[in-house]
Amino acid sequence: MTRKIESKIVAYKVKSKDAIQEAPVQAVPEAPKLETMHEEMPRPEKLLGTTYKLKTPEHVSEHSLFITINDVVLNEGTDHELRRPFEIFINSKSLEHYQWIVALTRIISAVFRKGGDCTFLVEELRSVFDPKGGYWNKGKYVPSLIAEIGNVIEQHLMEIGMLKNPEMDEHQKAFLEAKRAENTAKEEVKEEEPVNTGFPPSATLCYKCHNKAVIVKDGCQTCLNCGDSKCG
């Protein structure tokens, strides 16, 4: 390390080897050992949990599903505090899907406890399609009940900070708002509509966000929900 001398040197002293050896060595503080998720981690006596109510059309499940995800807090009270999912439970009055629900929850819980990046579960579950066909729920197309469970897990991972909600820039938001306003003025809204999605009735399904929000403007298919466009 260099040091600028701003005044005259009036004296100097050279340290002997003995003085250097006798000088106390400053101990370097050890870095704190961070706690991480691993498959051998014992289950704590108390976990933080969130329960989500999943209501589906009657032909999919007669009764609602209640999805509970319990989280463990790592390095609590430090700057490295993290909240990570530890286990998942799915309960319902209906026993129709009991077997595969128990198997699914055990596998997902095992992936949670193994540690690492578990966000891939969302896309894996959302890629499952029901051979009998999907259904519409709150204006959004859901390919299967398993895919909707994946949507719930995605929502939870966003709440604890493992996933981020992708945001559009200001220009894209303004462009979509302008198109929404333009189409709202042209389209006639039905007096009695089962679900008010905020999109024109003539909009079609977007295969990226699964919302019925795709309109054709200037010869280009554009989604008014996520901004996906066939023209780039």
Side-chain angles (χ1 to χ4, degrees):
M1 179 178 178
T2 58
R3 182 177 179 182
K4 184 179 180 181
I5 300 175
E6 299 179 349
S7 60
K8 291 184 178 181
I9 300 175
V10 295
Y12 67 90
K13 182 179 180 181
V14 179
K15 286 186 177 181
S16 63
K17 292 182 179 181
D18 296 334
I20 296 175
Q21 292 177 356
E22 293 175 358
V25 179
Q26 295 182 353
V28 179
E30 295 183 359
K33 188 176 181 180
L34 300 180
E35 188 179 12
T36 58
M37 284 284 294
H38 54 87
E39 53 188 349
E40 297 181 357
M41 179 180 181
R43 186 189 188 281
E45 293 293 331
K46 182 180 179 181
L47 293 173
L48 299 175
T50 306
T51 300
Y52 303 87
K53 181 179 180 181
L54 180 57
K55 187 174 180 60
T56 61
E58 291 185 359
H59 73 278
V60 178
S61 180
E62 185 178 354
H63 300 282
S64 299
L65 275 72
F66 294 89
I67 303 175
T68 300
I69 303 178
N70 291 331
D71 303 322
V72 62
V73 180
L74 303 174
N75 308 302
E76 188 174 4
T78 68
D79 296 336
H80 305 281
E81 182 174 314
L82 294 173
R83 184 170 172 175
R84 291 293 180 261
F86 190 86
E87 59 192 8
I88 181 173
F89 300 99
I90 301 178
N91 297 313
S92 176
K93 291 181 179 179
S94 176
L95 297 178
E96 181 182 0
H97 308 292
Y98 178 77
Q99 292 186 4
W100 68 260
I101 281 181
V102 171
L104 185 65
T105 53
R106 289 187 177 183
I107 293 173
I108 294 177
S109 297
V111 174
F112 285 163
R113 289 191 292 270
K114 197 169 184 65
D117 185 12
C118 62
T119 58
F120 71 93
L121 287 171
V122 175
E123 287 303 321
E124 292 294 333
L125 296 176
R126 291 171 65 175
S127 300
V128 177
F129 289 79
D130 191 336
K132 297 180 181 179
Y135 56 92
W136 292 91
N137 193 359
K138 298 180 181 179
K140 186 174 182 179
Y141 179 75
V142 182
S144 66
L145 179 58
I146 297 178
E148 188 142 32
I149 294 175
N151 292 338
V152 173
I153 294 177
E154 179 187 40
Q155 178 185 350
H156 184 78
L157 295 183
M158 285 184 178
E159 290 181 358
I160 66 175
M162 286 193 70
L163 280 177
K164 292 184 179 180
N165 190 10
E167 296 184 358
M168 295 178 288
D169 57 28
E170 296 298 328
H171 298 288
Q172 194 171 11
K173 287 181 180 179
F175 174 75
L176 293 179
E177 289 295 333
K179 284 202 171 186
R180 285 182 184 178
E182 184 178 351
N183 281 275
T184 301
K186 292 183 179 180
E187 295 284 351
E188 294 181 0
V189 181
K190 296 180 181 179
E191 294 182 357
E192 294 182 359
E193 192 175 359
V195 178
N196 183 16
T197 62
F199 304 115
S202 61
T204 57
L205 177 66
C206 174
Y207 292 99
K208 184 176 180 181
C209 67
H210 301 300
N211 282 281
K212 201 174 181 182
V214 176
I215 57 101
V216 177
K217 181 63 178 176
D218 299 328
C220 181
Q221 288 185 338
T222 303
C223 177
L224 299 179
N225 182 65
C226 68
D228 184 51
S229 176
K230 298 298 182 182
C231 300

